[in-house]
Amino acid sequence: MKRILCLVLFLGILPFAADAQSIPTPKSHFGFDIGDPYMLANFSQTEAYFQKVDAASDRVRYTSIGKTEFGREQPMLIITAPENFAQLEKYKEISQKLGRAELTPEEAKALSKEGKPVVWIDGGLHASEVVGAQQLIETLYTLASRNDEETLKILDEVIILLAHANPDGMEIMSDWYMRNEDQEKRNKNIPVLYQKYVGHDNNRDFYMNNMKETTNISLQQYVEWLPQIVYNHHQSGPSGTVVAGPPYRDPFNHVFDPLIITSLDAVGAAMINRLHVEDKPGYTRLDGSVFSTWWNGGLRTTPYYHNMIGILTEIVGDPSPFSIPLVPDRLIPNNGTPYPVTPGPWPFRRSIEYSVSLNYSILNHAVRHGDELLYNFYLMGKNSVDRGNTDTWTKYPKYAQAVQEEFDASKKKRDSDDPEMASFGFRSGLPLQFYDSVYKDPSRKDSRGYVLSADQPDFSTAIKFLNALIKSGVLVEKATADFSLSGKSYPKGSYVVKAAQAFRPHVLDMFEPQDHPNDFLYPGGPPIRPYDAAGWTLAFQMGVEFDRIMEGIEGPFERVAYGQLLSPDPTIVPSGSGYMLDARVNDSFLAVNDLLKAKVKVFRTATAANGFPAGSFYVASSGKKSLTEVAKKYGVKVSAASGIPSGAKEIKPSRIALYDYYGGSMPSGWVRWMMEQFHFDYNVVFPEEIDAGDLTEKYDVILFIGPGIPGGGGRYGGGRSVSKEEIPSEYHHMMGSLTVDKSVPQLKSFMENGGQIVTVGAATSLAYLLDLPISDALVEISDGDEISLTGEKYYIPGSVLEMYVDESAPANYGMGATANVLFNNSPVFKLSPDAASKGIKPLAWFGAEPPLKSGWAWGQQYLKNGVTAFEAQIGKGKLYAYGPEITFRAQSHGTFKMLFNNLYK
């Protein structure tokens, strides 16, 4: 009987064993185990392995979610039990229905029991953080080959989306690392960015969706699959730890549903508990790391605004020798790090094992709480819809402050209301009337929705803004006829974005100001730096005109299908002896560049003409054929003109150089992408070419965006310091740094001979090296010396500020009287009394009032009347200096014209 039972058991497990044996191991494919010292797989090898496992396993399906910027396929592996594939579309549809919350609670409960939770796990976004991409390989093999009870249960109950976030970067980084046969010489000091344009900033693009990889991911997450959990692998962990993970430190964004934060707690508990059960120390959380849930725009943070549980881990590890450093404070167990790790050597393989354990902890959590995850996903969406349909007041810090201020201003403040006692919880509280005076104030309630009128000057940029929302799964509606709301009329073709939708947090975040709390280490102490920006309101950055609608929104609207991108309607070129293109429209520059490439003559006006502002473009009737093509292609509005406006001058494309350095500049990379989108031709220049001189023979304008100028912050003139012996000859021309002694004289000579230089952000330090009559506005006098303001007095991390603009200056053609600009502790200038006589003219400045529009600005009084941009005559040429980030991550369309205007001659 015993033999028969053994035979039955053996036959029962044989299919599973055979399946496990048929899955190729990583070592059989790559020639090494994942995590072996000095070894990295590249993407080509990894893609082939993905496809090989797909062919061998009925648990795995290889899919491509789109092309990368270099044209590679971006893979996503769907992993689940074989029988689930037959109903995969049903499970996807259930996830979509629950996520969009267009159901009754009863329907949602039923679908929550019928559906299966969807979990997204990615890796490789930041290619220098090599653990992330390598762990994808090990995780795939583990899920495809193991037949233990836990794995089989996960496969039965969960739909896993295993996605590669940056194929191009993995190829670049791994090939570079493995090129040295001498293992000890292997390094990750690549000469270029590990994403075609933006490198590390590929994780700063997830509400804008500029990059192809970002768009691919967003469409899967917010339009196609709507996963309940999004797990984004990164490194490196804080010094003295192994891995940082959830829950994260305060602040969290005020537009979130509270279930997001408590759900993060639950998943975080599952993760740290599993590591402790497996005797894997070194997990840190809360104030043990710098990561918060405030900012939108990252692969794991944008999900919060879509009611998804976004998980970030930052883990240590490297294929070259690595050790956990000894940090005494990290040796003390506390709530942030309950189980400290012992410092010392740390094998790369150990990081892979941790990563797989963390993946399993999340998948096991999804198994145990699947119906709860699905229903809560629906419930958060329903809460958003309900809030969008009723009068709602988001509890911003400014409103709590307003309650206190109204009480303080009243006669009812009681002496017994001692702030010191209040800090211990003994406060008696304020009369409720002060709550009602703020949180029932109609002027402070949340908007019910937003209208983007089709008659705004730069409607094509408004459509780009809407496309960013659509890629993020936001529901947009289009007017099929003229309509009126709140006493204002709007034309057919306008768009409406209602707040009563599941992704309301994202809608509010894109239209409304962020109100970052004052966050200091202690009262009177230094500020705690936000993880990224403090304010970013995309509608402000892009210069989009919109109206807030405070009551119900009804009208002749039709839904735009989820994920369906918009295009401007083609325009018809009217009859006329000439034609005008509006300088206020960014796409006019795109159209003009195409016309210039087609050898069509284009003129710019010096004054307002034919109803268009100064700086608008005139095209003679001889260019009608080409103009008709661009009008149809880009939807740029073309108006007839009776003749060439008085004073208009012909323009030609400038020969443009864009500065970069070895290793790659992200701000420069964003501008590379912008130039290509708007069809400006350019060459990239490096320090050696600048130092060689004769720049006016090749270029009319040189762009310095962000770091690069000596003393200007960032990398002080160049990239990593390398020797020619270390790198292939094809990269030698990228080496070196700009210097005060050699480079600055060449730049000065370039301008004296008629060239133009445009500097943005830190690069404006060039003005000081030229001894121009300007000074830093953000200083104070101490003992007769100028010293920089301390963080206790002045601190403005990435935030949106409003500045005044000289509309008459050709550098500002098409701009309005004011502009919202992304300001990130940016330079602010003070012009000397004799500056005007020396050819220096302010282009933009702050007023007397506080300029903050969105984010956090401490010490705004120091900005009063400060100059944010200026032009300076240098011989026959000019220097343009823009302190704020007028090209910020290719998001700030509202200030693009400040760059574009300088790119013609």
Side-chain angles (χ1 to χ4, degrees):
M1 183 66 185
K2 186 175 180 180
R3 289 182 179 178
I4 295 173
L5 180 59
C6 289
L7 180 61
V8 169
L9 289 173
F10 174 75
L11 292 174
I13 65 170
L14 186 60
F16 296 111
D19 183 65
Q21 290 170 356
S22 67
I23 304 302
T25 66
K27 187 168 187 176
S28 71
H29 177 79
F30 297 101
F32 56 87
D33 287 318
I34 301 303
D36 276 358
Y38 295 109
M39 302 302 293
L40 288 177
N42 69 14
F43 176 72
S44 296
Q45 297 164 335
T46 300
E47 182 181 39
Y49 183 71
F50 286 173
Q51 293 170 337
K52 190 179 288 187
V53 174
D54 170 36
S57 174
D58 56 2
R59 303 175 180 180
V60 178
R61 180 178 296 175
Y62 176 97
T63 64
S64 172
I65 60 175
K67 297 284 190 179
T68 68
E69 289 290 354
F70 276 122
R72 292 182 175 87
E73 300 293 342
Q74 186 167 9
M76 182 180 78
L77 299 161
I78 305 171
I79 306 172
T80 192
E83 57 272 17
N84 289 339
F85 282 105
Q87 300 187 81
L88 203 59
E89 287 303 314
K90 183 186 83 170
Y91 295 131
K92 180 195 285 190
E93 185 178 352
I94 288 173
S95 193
Q96 290 174 351
K97 287 181 176 179
L98 292 171
R100 291 170 184 154
E102 297 173 333
L103 304 166
T104 66
E106 293 72 26
E107 291 170 330
K109 283 186 183 296
L111 287 178
S112 299
K113 291 180 169 58
E114 185 181 352
K116 295 187 184 296
V118 180
V119 176
W120 170 286
I121 299 173
D122 65 59
L125 185 65
H126 289 160
S128 58
E129 303 166 10
V130 294
V131 173
Q134 303 295 309
Q135 64 83 27
L136 287 176
I137 301 167
E138 191 72 15
T139 299
L140 171 62
Y141 174 70
T142 303
L143 289 168
S145 65
R146 275 174 46 173
N147 292 293
D148 57 278
E149 182 180 355
E150 182 184 32
T151 300
L152 295 178
K153 187 73 171 174
I154 287 170
L155 294 168
D156 283 342
E157 299 298 332
V158 183
I159 309 296
I160 306 161
L161 307 178
L162 198 68
H164 201 301
N166 183 9
D168 296 341
M170 186 183 189
E171 192 83 352
I172 293 167
M173 183 61 65
S174 296
D175 284 353
W176 182 266
Y177 181 83
M178 296 295 292
R179 68 191 175 89
N180 269 317
E181 290 190 14
D182 184 347
Q183 293 183 342
E184 294 187 0
K185 291 184 178 179
R186 290 179 179 173
N187 64 73
K188 297 183 289 185
N189 298 326
I190 57 176
V192 296
L193 295 169
Y194 53 65
Q195 194 274 352
K196 184 177 181 181
Y197 297 103
V198 302
H200 194 86
D201 267 2
N202 63 355
N203 199 28
R204 305 294 184 268
D205 189 40
F206 280 92
Y207 60 71
M208 189 70 211
N209 294 298
N210 277 325
M211 297 294 107
K212 290 179 181 178
E213 297 91 339
T214 315
T215 296
N216 295 339
I217 292 170
S218 290
L219 290 175
Q220 292 301 313
Q221 291 182 346
Y222 308 128
V223 178
E224 290 293 324
W225 275 101
L226 282 68
Q228 288 73 58
I229 299 177
V230 172
Y231 183 10
N232 180 216
H233 282 263
H234 281 269
Q235 61 183 114
S236 182
S239 186
T241 72
V242 175
V243 59
Y248 309 104
R249 70 172 181 89
D250 281 334
F252 66 80
N253 201 292
H254 310 106
V255 299
F256 295 162
D257 192 289
L259 261 174
I260 277 292
I261 301 304
T262 51
S263 297
L264 267 171
D265 291 343
V267 177
M271 296 170 74
I272 193 170
N273 283 347
R274 185 174 187 113
L275 291 189
H276 290 177
V277 166
E278 295 178 355
D279 196 27
K280 291 184 169 85
Y283 186 108
T284 192
R285 57 188 184 164
L286 299 169
D287 58 359
S289 75
V290 301
F291 307 105
S292 73
T293 51
W294 172 259
W295 170 68
N296 196 342
L299 202 162
R300 68 94 187 178
T301 59
T302 301
Y304 303 140
Y305 299 82
H306 296 76
N307 306 315
M308 300 172 187
I309 305 167
I311 302 297
L312 165 77
T313 53
E314 298 265 352
I315 197 167
V316 301
D318 198 87
S320 297
F322 176 85
S323 289
I324 304 288
L326 173 59
V327 180
D329 288 348
R330 292 286 187 180
L331 301 176
I332 306 168
N334 56 32
N335 196 42
T337 314
Y339 187 11
V341 66
T342 300
W346 187 263
F348 189 37
R349 177 66 188 179
R350 190 74 169 138
S351 296
I352 302 298
E353 292 167 351
Y354 265 64
S355 298
V356 174
S357 290
L358 290 166
N359 290 338
Y360 262 68
S361 70
I362 289 175
L363 296 172
N364 192 47
H365 178 82
V367 169
R368 295 173 182 271
H369 302 278
D371 59 342
E372 181 181 295
L373 285 169
L374 289 165
Y375 185 75
N376 287 352
F377 189 33
Y378 159 78
L379 183 60
M380 287 185 278
K382 181 180 182 299
N383 290 342
S384 290
V385 173
D386 291 345
R387 292 180 187 119
N389 276 325
T390 56
D391 288 346
T392 305
W393 286 259
T394 297
K395 290 183 170 58
Y396 296 116
K398 60 186 176 185
Y399 292 169
Q401 182 180 349
V403 169
Q404 186 66 51
E405 288 172 351
E406 293 206 14
F407 174 69
D408 290 346
S410 76
K411 303 290 187 180
K412 299 180 181 180
K413 182 167 183 173
R414 302 191 312 192
D415 294 337
S416 61
D417 194 38
D418 186 340
E420 185 174 349
M421 295 297 288
S423 69
F424 290 97
F426 297 121
R427 188 171 193 167
S428 59
L430 310 186
L432 287 178
Q433 70 190 68
F434 293 100
Y435 178 92
D436 293 347
S437 68
V438 173
Y439 289 98
K440 293 186 180 179
D441 178 357
S443 69
R444 290 182 163 111
K445 70 181 181 180
D446 295 342
S447 173
R448 298 282 187 92
Y450 308 88
V451 178
L452 290 80
S453 181
D455 60 8
Q456 60 185 283
D458 195 359
F459 190 50
S460 58
T461 293
I463 287 177
K464 293 175 185 179
F465 168 76
L466 289 168
N467 280 336
L469 301 187
I470 289 169
K471 291 176 184 178
S472 293
V474 169
L475 179 63
V476 172
E477 299 182 42
K478 183 176 183 178
T480 58
D482 296 350
F483 65 100
S484 296
L485 283 173
S486 301
K488 183 175 178 178
S489 297
Y490 300 94
K492 175 184 177 181
S494 299
Y495 289 93
V496 172
V497 182
K498 295 178 181 177
Q501 57 178 296
F503 297 161
R504 176 179 181 267
H506 193 72
V507 171
L508 294 183
D509 204 59
M510 295 295 98
F511 282 99
E512 299 293 349
Q514 284 76 49
D515 183 18
H516 194 286
N518 291 322
D519 191 15
F520 293 93
L521 193 60
Y522 51 84
I528 299 174
R529 180 177 177 268
Y531 171 64
D532 195 85
W536 51 84
T537 310
L538 186 58
F540 294 178
Q541 285 196 68
M542 294 186 72
V544 172
E545 296 180 10
F546 65 90
D547 291 320
R548 294 179 176 90
I549 307 300
M550 308 309 291
E551 305 300 333
I553 303 176
E554 300 295 335
F557 311 133
E558 64 178 9
R559 286 186 167 195
V560 177
Y562 285 107
Q564 179 181 308
L565 299 183
L566 308 173
S567 298
D569 293 333
T571 56
I572 298 173
V573 176
S575 298
S577 59
Y579 307 98
M580 297 292 297
L581 294 169
D582 195 334
R584 294 172 295 180
V585 179
N586 283 351
D587 279 353
S588 289
F589 293 86
L590 171 61
V592 163
N593 288 338
D594 281 8
L595 292 172
L596 292 172
K597 286 179 172 63
K599 307 302 182 184
V600 173
K601 288 188 176 183
V602 180
F603 299 78
R604 289 200 87 170
T605 63
T607 58
N610 297 302
F612 290 93
S616 293
F617 302 94
Y618 172 81
V619 180
S621 58
S622 58
K624 183 174 182 179
K625 180 180 178 182
S626 296
L627 189 59
T628 300
E629 292 175 1
V630 298
K632 181 180 180 181
K633 189 173 183 180
Y634 306 129
V636 178
K637 184 179 179 181
V638 179
S639 297
S642 56
I644 185 169
S646 175
K649 294 183 179 180
E650 184 179 357
I651 61 170
K652 293 182 179 180
S654 290
R655 299 169 299 166
I656 302 167
L658 175 61
Y659 176 73
D660 206 342
Y661 45 69
Y662 185 91
S665 162
M666 291 182 289
S668 179
W670 281 114
V671 172
R672 271 195 290 124
W673 183 82
M674 284 171 51
M675 303 287 271
E676 292 174 18
Q677 301 309 301
F678 285 90
H679 296 183
F680 286 101
D681 293 332
Y682 67 95
N683 286 329
V684 176
V685 294
F686 296 91
E688 284 188 1
E689 184 176 354
I690 288 174
D691 290 348
D694 291 327
L695 296 170
T696 51
E697 297 299 314
K698 295 178 284 186
Y699 305 115
D700 301 304
V701 58
I702 306 176
L703 311 180
F704 291 91
I705 313 296
I709 297 295
R715 286 178 175 165
Y716 300 103
R720 305 181 186 95
S721 178
V722 293
S723 66
K724 289 187 175 181
E725 293 72 28
E726 294 178 65
I727 63 174
S729 59
E730 63 191 282
Y731 300 113
H732 287 180
H733 72 285
M734 301 165 64
M735 296 173 58
S737 299
L738 298 181
T739 62
V740 174
D741 293 338
K742 194 168 185 179
S743 310
V744 173
Q746 294 294 351
L747 296 176
K748 184 177 181 182
S749 175
F750 170 71
M751 288 184 284
E752 289 175 336
N753 290 315
Q756 295 189 157
I757 290 180
V758 178
T759 60
V760 177
T764 57
S765 63
L766 179 61
Y768 296 110
L769 300 177
L770 296 170
D771 294 323
L772 298 180
I774 62 165
S775 59
D776 185 353
L778 302 175
V779 297
E780 58 183 352
I781 306 298
S782 176
D783 296 329
D785 296 324
E786 285 189 350
I787 59 172
S788 296
L789 295 169
T790 64
E792 289 87 346
K793 294 181 178 180
Y794 169 83
Y795 183 66
I796 306 180
S799 297
V800 181
L801 274 57
E802 184 180 58
M803 62 184 185
Y804 290 92
V805 176
D806 180 0
E807 298 174 87
S808 67
N812 291 333
Y813 279 160
M815 299 292 294
T818 62
N820 293 320
V821 68
L822 201 292
F823 189 94
N824 185 19
N825 283 316
S826 302
V828 181
F829 309 98
K830 185 164 55 177
L831 305 188
S832 299
D834 61 346
S837 64
K838 294 184 177 180
I840 298 179
K841 177 183 177 181
L843 297 173
W845 57 90
F846 292 125
E849 69 282 0
L852 179 66
K853 299 292 287 185
S854 179
W856 181 24
W858 183 255
Q860 293 185 71
Q861 67 271 18
Y862 293 103
L863 298 176
K864 184 178 179 180
N865 299 324
V867 173
T868 56
F870 65 88
E871 64 179 42
Q873 192 74 39
I874 311 289
K876 297 178 182 178
K878 282 189 177 181
L879 171 72
Y880 295 91
Y882 299 92
E885 306 290 335
I886 62 169
T887 59
F888 181 71
R889 294 173 181 167
Q891 298 172 10
S892 50
H893 288 242
T895 49
F896 281 4
K897 287 182 282 288
M898 289 180 148
L899 174 65
F900 294 165
N901 283 324
N902 298 311
L903 303 182
Y904 301 102
K905 60 181 180 180

